[in-house]
């Protein structure tokens, strides 16, 4: 390749990068160096739809439960205590949601790893599921109060199903 052709090619490559046309590697490197990152967040409307679907399904199954939804950082976004749900159900649901979003897995799948129980705020009982967008957890749904964790988890799944088609 002639020197003038190499200089022209290098100049075009520099212009492409400066103009915003980047390769995947360049884009990834830039994202790692960015001082601000953007993350997906479950909307308040979506949280309400989830909670409503959980409670409707609980009524159908004659269960008295509480549903909790937390964001990616584990902060509580919503707690809805169903009629007749016991006082312990709020904390149970919140901790299940926290555990599911923290590890990106249903709490039923984590229950065998008792070492995780040492982490503050976790609860290794079935009934918590993560909400994912773009392959990453963005929220957790926790349900507490049914006589078994399997029922709690099925209710949480009913909540997720209410918005599943809207997640990217």
């Amino acid at each position: 390749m002639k020197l003038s052709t190499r200089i022209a090619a290098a100049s075009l490559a520099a212009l492409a990068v400066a103009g915003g046309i980047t390769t995947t590697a360049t884009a990834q490197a830039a994202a790692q160096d960015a001082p601000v990152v953007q993350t997906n967040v479950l909307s308040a409307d979506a949280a309400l739809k989830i909670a409503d679907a959980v409670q409707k399904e609980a009524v159908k199954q004659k269960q008295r439960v509480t549903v909790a939804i937390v964001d990616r950082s584990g902060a509580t976004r919503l707690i809805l205590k169903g009629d007749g749900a016991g006082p312990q159900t709020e904390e149970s649901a919140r901790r299940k949601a926290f555990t599911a979003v923290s590890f990106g897995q249903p709490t039923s799948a984590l229950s065998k790893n008792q070492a995780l129980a040492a982490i503050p705020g976790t609860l290794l009982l079935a009934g918590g599921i993560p909400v994912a967008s773009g392959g990453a957890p963005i929220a957790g749904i926790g349900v507490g109060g049914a006589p078994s964790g399997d029922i709690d988890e099925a209710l949480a799944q009913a909540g997720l199903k209410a918005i599943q088609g809207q997640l990217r």
Side-chain angles (χ1 to χ4, degrees):
M1 183 184 268
K2 292 183 181 179
L3 181 58
S4 61
T5 305
R6 276 191 248 167
I7 292 172
S11 297
L12 286 174
L15 287 172
V17 171
I21 302 170
T22 61
T23 64
T24 302
T26 305
Q28 289 173 345
Q32 290 174 352
D33 294 334
V36 177
V37 295
Q38 294 182 354
T39 59
N40 292 326
V41 177
L42 189 66
S43 72
D45 185 54
L48 288 169
K49 286 179 185 176
I50 291 168
D52 184 55
V54 167
Q55 291 297 342
K56 284 180 179 174
E57 185 62 26
V59 168
K60 283 182 192 174
Q61 294 187 28
K62 296 181 177 30
Q63 301 298 323
R64 295 176 290 185
V65 300
T66 296
V67 59
I69 300 172
V70 301
D71 67 13
R72 179 63 181 117
S73 68
T76 303
R77 294 287 313 266
L78 179 143
I79 292 185
L80 180 59
K81 185 176 180 182
D83 295 338
Q88 78 288 359
T89 62
E90 292 177 46
E91 184 65 15
S92 172
R94 191 192 61 70
R95 289 176 58 190
K96 288 177 184 183
F98 173 83
T99 304
V101 75
S102 295
F103 298 100
Q105 296 182 47
T107 53
S108 60
L110 299 167
S111 62
K112 291 178 179 69
N113 189 348
Q114 288 301 308
L116 298 176
I119 299 172
T122 60
L123 185 59
L124 301 178
L125 299 175
I129 60 170
V131 178
S133 177
I138 61 166
I141 304 168
V143 177
S148 82
D150 292 340
I151 296 170
D152 286 339
E153 190 163 316
L155 294 172
Q157 288 289 353
L160 180 59
K161 186 177 178 182
I163 63 152
Q164 190 73 52
Q166 299 170 347
L167 296 171
R168 301 183 247 166

